[in-house]
Amino acid sequence: MTSKYAEQLREAELRVTRPRVAVLEAVQANPHADTETILGEVRSVLPGVSRQSVYGILHAATSAGLVRRIQPSGLVARYESRVGDNHHHAVCRSCGAIADIDCSIGETPCLNLSLGYGFLVDEAEVIFWGLCPDCSPHN
């Protein structure tokens, strides 16, 4: 396995396995996918992979910084391969579509925290809620 995903796993000091590579490929191909979608994608290439294996791989990949887990209020957890840039998300209240939103203000952590209360902030998570273009009545 010489894919870029195998290299990412090696750099994160994770053992390279077919299921791990398949999970990273599925996350890349399906931005903001839930676990069931990722499981279905992985099983399309590795039919014998267990649900627990996919959950474990997602957890390990998230801990290693290879994928990002987001969970907007009221929705199941979603995963994406866009990591390290502290971007935000917009979520459609009607259909649940999720879109990436680049940093709103300035450098990471993207928001000006004038009163940090002693915290050294390295990340800000903002979720914008509204209607996507397909669900908007102004379409």
mmCIF file of all heavy atoms in Angstrom, residues 10-27:
data_model
loop_
_atom_site.group_PDB
_atom_site.id
_atom_site.type_symbol
_atom_site.label_atom_id
_atom_site.label_comp_id
_atom_site.label_asym_id
_atom_site.label_seq_id
_atom_site.Cartn_x
_atom_site.Cartn_y
_atom_site.Cartn_z
ATOM 1 N N ARG A 10 1.431 6.124 8.421
ATOM 2 C CA ARG A 10 2.812 5.944 8.887
ATOM 3 C C ARG A 10 3.300 7.183 9.637
ATOM 4 O O ARG A 10 3.920 7.079 10.699
ATOM 5 C CB ARG A 10 3.747 5.651 7.717
ATOM 6 C CG ARG A 10 3.666 4.236 7.215
ATOM 7 C CD ARG A 10 4.738 3.945 6.160
ATOM 8 N NE ARG A 10 4.366 2.772 5.410
ATOM 9 C CZ ARG A 10 3.741 2.786 4.229
ATOM 10 N NH1 ARG A 10 3.440 3.933 3.628
ATOM 11 N NH2 ARG A 10 3.425 1.653 3.632
ATOM 12 N N GLU A 11 3.033 8.364 9.076
ATOM 13 C CA GLU A 11 3.468 9.609 9.711
ATOM 14 C C GLU A 11 2.806 9.792 11.072
ATOM 15 O O GLU A 11 3.385 10.400 11.974
ATOM 16 C CB GLU A 11 3.168 10.802 8.803
ATOM 17 C CG GLU A 11 4.082 10.880 7.603
ATOM 18 C CD GLU A 11 3.706 11.984 6.631
ATOM 19 O OE1 GLU A 11 2.812 12.802 6.944
ATOM 20 O OE2 GLU A 11 4.306 12.020 5.543
ATOM 21 N N ALA A 12 1.585 9.280 11.227
ATOM 22 C CA ALA A 12 0.877 9.359 12.507
ATOM 23 C C ALA A 12 1.250 8.209 13.438
ATOM 24 O O ALA A 12 0.687 8.065 14.517
ATOM 25 C CB ALA A 12 -0.628 9.358 12.260
ATOM 26 N N GLU A 13 2.202 7.385 12.990
ATOM 27 C CA GLU A 13 2.663 6.223 13.745
ATOM 28 C C GLU A 13 1.550 5.222 14.011
ATOM 29 O O GLU A 13 1.470 4.614 15.079
ATOM 30 C CB GLU A 13 3.363 6.661 15.035
ATOM 31 C CG GLU A 13 4.592 7.509 14.760
ATOM 32 C CD GLU A 13 5.344 7.914 16.009
ATOM 33 O OE1 GLU A 13 4.901 7.590 17.133
ATOM 34 O OE2 GLU A 13 6.383 8.573 15.850
ATOM 35 N N LEU A 14 0.682 5.066 13.014
ATOM 36 C CA LEU A 14 -0.365 4.052 13.043
ATOM 37 C C LEU A 14 -0.012 2.977 12.019
ATOM 38 O O LEU A 14 0.487 3.288 10.934
ATOM 39 C CB LEU A 14 -1.729 4.654 12.710
ATOM 40 C CG LEU A 14 -2.290 5.653 13.716
ATOM 41 C CD1 LEU A 14 -3.551 6.311 13.163
ATOM 42 C CD2 LEU A 14 -2.577 4.976 15.047
ATOM 43 N N ARG A 15 -0.284 1.746 12.367
ATOM 44 C CA ARG A 15 -0.003 0.640 11.457
ATOM 45 C C ARG A 15 -0.885 0.767 10.218
ATOM 46 O O ARG A 15 -2.061 1.112 10.303
ATOM 47 C CB ARG A 15 -0.298 -0.683 12.185
ATOM 48 C CG ARG A 15 0.252 -1.895 11.476
ATOM 49 C CD ARG A 15 0.254 -3.109 12.400
ATOM 50 N NE ARG A 15 -1.024 -3.359 13.037
ATOM 51 C CZ ARG A 15 -1.970 -4.161 12.542
ATOM 52 N NH1 ARG A 15 -1.756 -4.812 11.422
ATOM 53 N NH2 ARG A 15 -3.097 -4.345 13.178
ATOM 54 N N VAL A 16 -0.307 0.497 9.072
ATOM 55 C CA VAL A 16 -1.036 0.573 7.807
ATOM 56 C C VAL A 16 -1.759 -0.754 7.592
ATOM 57 O O VAL A 16 -1.131 -1.805 7.507
ATOM 58 C CB VAL A 16 -0.084 0.868 6.622
ATOM 59 C CG1 VAL A 16 -0.846 0.872 5.307
ATOM 60 C CG2 VAL A 16 0.642 2.185 6.844
ATOM 61 N N THR A 17 -3.092 -0.671 7.514
ATOM 62 C CA THR A 17 -3.911 -1.847 7.226
ATOM 63 C C THR A 17 -4.917 -1.478 6.147
ATOM 64 O O THR A 17 -5.223 -0.295 5.951
ATOM 65 C CB THR A 17 -4.675 -2.332 8.479
ATOM 66 O OG1 THR A 17 -5.612 -1.313 8.880
ATOM 67 C CG2 THR A 17 -3.723 -2.665 9.622
ATOM 68 N N ARG A 18 -5.414 -2.480 5.454
ATOM 69 C CA ARG A 18 -6.417 -2.223 4.415
ATOM 70 C C ARG A 18 -7.656 -1.529 4.985
ATOM 71 O O ARG A 18 -8.150 -0.577 4.390
ATOM 72 C CB ARG A 18 -6.784 -3.509 3.696
ATOM 73 C CG ARG A 18 -5.621 -4.005 2.816
ATOM 74 C CD ARG A 18 -6.002 -5.141 1.914
ATOM 75 N NE ARG A 18 -7.021 -4.688 0.971
ATOM 76 C CZ ARG A 18 -7.877 -5.478 0.354
ATOM 77 N NH1 ARG A 18 -7.838 -6.767 0.537
ATOM 78 N NH2 ARG A 18 -8.761 -4.988 -0.484
ATOM 79 N N PRO A 19 -8.188 -1.959 6.147
ATOM 80 C CA PRO A 19 -9.355 -1.253 6.686
ATOM 81 C C PRO A 19 -9.069 0.209 7.030
ATOM 82 O O PRO A 19 -9.902 1.079 6.778
ATOM 83 C CB PRO A 19 -9.717 -2.065 7.934
ATOM 84 C CG PRO A 19 -9.207 -3.436 7.647
ATOM 85 C CD PRO A 19 -7.937 -3.210 6.874
ATOM 86 N N ARG A 20 -7.899 0.504 7.565
ATOM 87 C CA ARG A 20 -7.570 1.896 7.893
ATOM 88 C C ARG A 20 -7.484 2.745 6.631
ATOM 89 O O ARG A 20 -7.993 3.866 6.591
ATOM 90 C CB ARG A 20 -6.265 1.970 8.685
ATOM 91 C CG ARG A 20 -6.443 1.548 10.118
ATOM 92 C CD ARG A 20 -5.165 1.646 10.900
ATOM 93 N NE ARG A 20 -5.422 1.358 12.304
ATOM 94 C CZ ARG A 20 -4.490 1.077 13.179
ATOM 95 N NH1 ARG A 20 -3.208 1.067 12.825
ATOM 96 N NH2 ARG A 20 -4.807 0.825 14.434
ATOM 97 N N VAL A 21 -6.837 2.220 5.621
ATOM 98 C CA VAL A 21 -6.756 2.957 4.352
ATOM 99 C C VAL A 21 -8.153 3.145 3.773
ATOM 100 O O VAL A 21 -8.505 4.234 3.311
ATOM 101 C CB VAL A 21 -5.816 2.239 3.358
ATOM 102 C CG1 VAL A 21 -5.909 2.852 1.961
ATOM 103 C CG2 VAL A 21 -4.374 2.279 3.866
ATOM 104 N N ALA A 22 -8.985 2.114 3.811
ATOM 105 C CA ALA A 22 -10.343 2.198 3.270
ATOM 106 C C ALA A 22 -11.173 3.236 4.008
ATOM 107 O O ALA A 22 -11.955 3.970 3.391
ATOM 108 C CB ALA A 22 -11.021 0.828 3.321
ATOM 109 N N VAL A 23 -11.019 3.325 5.327
ATOM 110 C CA VAL A 23 -11.756 4.335 6.092
ATOM 111 C C VAL A 23 -11.307 5.734 5.694
ATOM 112 O O VAL A 23 -12.139 6.618 5.447
ATOM 113 C CB VAL A 23 -11.604 4.111 7.610
ATOM 114 C CG1 VAL A 23 -12.085 5.327 8.395
ATOM 115 C CG2 VAL A 23 -12.367 2.866 8.051
ATOM 116 N N LEU A 24 -10.002 5.958 5.579
ATOM 117 C CA LEU A 24 -9.514 7.284 5.171
ATOM 118 C C LEU A 24 -9.994 7.636 3.766
ATOM 119 O O LEU A 24 -10.366 8.788 3.499
ATOM 120 C CB LEU A 24 -7.994 7.350 5.265
ATOM 121 C CG LEU A 24 -7.399 7.274 6.674
ATOM 122 C CD1 LEU A 24 -5.880 7.329 6.616
ATOM 123 C CD2 LEU A 24 -7.958 8.357 7.575
ATOM 124 N N GLU A 25 -10.005 6.659 2.867
ATOM 125 C CA GLU A 25 -10.519 6.900 1.514
ATOM 126 C C GLU A 25 -12.002 7.256 1.559
ATOM 127 O O GLU A 25 -12.450 8.161 0.850
ATOM 128 C CB GLU A 25 -10.302 5.668 0.640
ATOM 129 C CG GLU A 25 -8.861 5.438 0.275
ATOM 130 C CD GLU A 25 -8.613 4.115 -0.450
ATOM 131 O OE1 GLU A 25 -9.474 3.204 -0.398
ATOM 132 O OE2 GLU A 25 -7.538 3.999 -1.062
ATOM 133 N N ALA A 26 -12.769 6.560 2.393
ATOM 134 C CA ALA A 26 -14.212 6.813 2.492
ATOM 135 C C ALA A 26 -14.486 8.197 3.062
ATOM 136 O O ALA A 26 -15.387 8.899 2.583
ATOM 137 C CB ALA A 26 -14.876 5.743 3.355
ATOM 138 N N VAL A 27 -13.724 8.609 4.052
ATOM 139 C CA VAL A 27 -13.904 9.946 4.632
ATOM 140 C C VAL A 27 -13.575 11.013 3.591
ATOM 141 O O VAL A 27 -14.294 12.005 3.446
ATOM 142 C CB VAL A 27 -13.059 10.120 5.910
ATOM 143 C CG1 VAL A 27 -13.070 11.569 6.382
ATOM 144 C CG2 VAL A 27 -13.562 9.189 7.014
#
